[in-house]
Amino acid sequence: NAGVTQTPKFQVLKTGQSMTLQCAQDMNHEYMSWYRQDPGMGLRLIHYSVGAGITDQGEVPNGYNVSRSTTEDFPLRLLSAAPSQTSVYFCASSPSWEDTQYFGPGTRLTVL
Amino acid sequence: GQNIDQPTEMTATEGAIVQINCTYQTSGFNGLFWYQQHAGEAPTFLSYNVLDGLEEKGRFSSFLSRSKGYSYLLLKELQMKDSASYLCAVRDPYNAGNNRKLIWGLGTSLAVNP
């Protein structure tokens, strides 16, 4: 099992550009989530999904979109990048929301 | 409100024992997790407590007191590779705003010196 994979590992964007951060898991987990981690702020939930076709907002959803067309994939879309979105983004999955979450390696995003 | 408190930084010596505390105030409680995060890497699961008492896993142990809203992570026989950030997270099933999320502490950065 590859576990949770994320691409790209590093990305630099200009303000106003859009891009998609990819996340995939091969553990057949129903629950998937996206976090951002910033110094002094800890892990903050952006969006989550409890199964294919079902997504919901976390605590900091503005500027981000998600979709969950399959159990395996949960991409995060930045609509119009802003410098405030410079962060490390982690995708995580678990069998259900109550279970231990397994994190991907992260994407380090810089918006200029 | 909901809050998790952990010390920001701790320092310890190789071979010693260190205790990292976590206190929480939440609407409800349905489990507490400890994660380890090395610099530049993803958090990895260390331990889970849902009932009061001590859970032991090799060199790492985690304790929970639900009545006191308190947990600690105990690391024995410290090694240099234990230098990392340790994150405490609480599952609150009554968090009406986002009822399927964990509440995360900011983490404790542990430096193990030779």
Side-chain angles (χ1 to χ4, degrees), chain A residues 31 37 57 98 101 104 108, chain B residues 35 37 40 42 91 98 100:
Chain A
Y31 183 85
Q37 188 175 39
Q57 296 181 347
E98 298 174 299
Q101 293 189 25
R108 282 141 189 85
Chain B
Y35 280 79
Q37 186 176 24
R91 191 165 63 208
N98 289 286
R100 290 185 174 87

Side-chain angles (χ1 to χ4, degrees), chain A residues 11-48:
Chain A
Q11 183 70 50
V12 178
L13 292 177
K14 294 181 180 177
T15 297
Q17 287 184 315
S18 64
M19 80 158 293
T20 300
L21 279 61
Q22 301 292 343
C23 173
Q25 52 92 9
D26 61 359
M27 298 175 281
N28 202 34
H29 286 171
E30 290 296 325
Y31 183 85
M32 296 186 74
S33 56
W34 276 102
Y35 291 93
R36 59 178 291 173
Q37 188 175 39
D38 304 288
M41 302 289 289
L43 283 163
R44 292 184 290 170
L45 184 67
I46 305 171
H47 285 286
Y48 66 93

Side-chain angles (χ1 to χ4, degrees), chain B residues 5 29 31 45 50-51 57 59 75 82 85 91 105:
Chain B
D5 289 312
F29 177 86
F45 170 73
V50 66
L51 299 176
K57 223 187 241 189
R59 294 189 300 114
L75 290 72
D82 298 329
S85 185
R91 191 165 63 208

Side-chain angles (χ1 to χ4, degrees), chain A residues 26-90:
Chain A
D26 61 359
M27 298 175 281
N28 202 34
H29 286 171
E30 290 296 325
Y31 183 85
M32 296 186 74
S33 56
W34 276 102
Y35 291 93
R36 59 178 291 173
Q37 188 175 39
D38 304 288
M41 302 289 289
L43 283 163
R44 292 184 290 170
L45 184 67
I46 305 171
H47 285 286
Y48 66 93
S49 168
V50 297
I54 307 169
T55 64
D56 206 347
Q57 296 181 347
E59 41 184 334
V60 288
N62 292 342
Y64 308 94
N65 273 357
V66 291
S67 59
R68 185 98 180 268
S69 56
T70 66
T71 299
E72 295 77 20
D73 300 297
F74 190 43
L76 178 73
R77 201 164 297 107
L78 278 70
L79 308 171
S80 176
S84 61
Q85 294 178 305
T86 293
S87 186
V88 180
Y89 291 85
F90 289 105

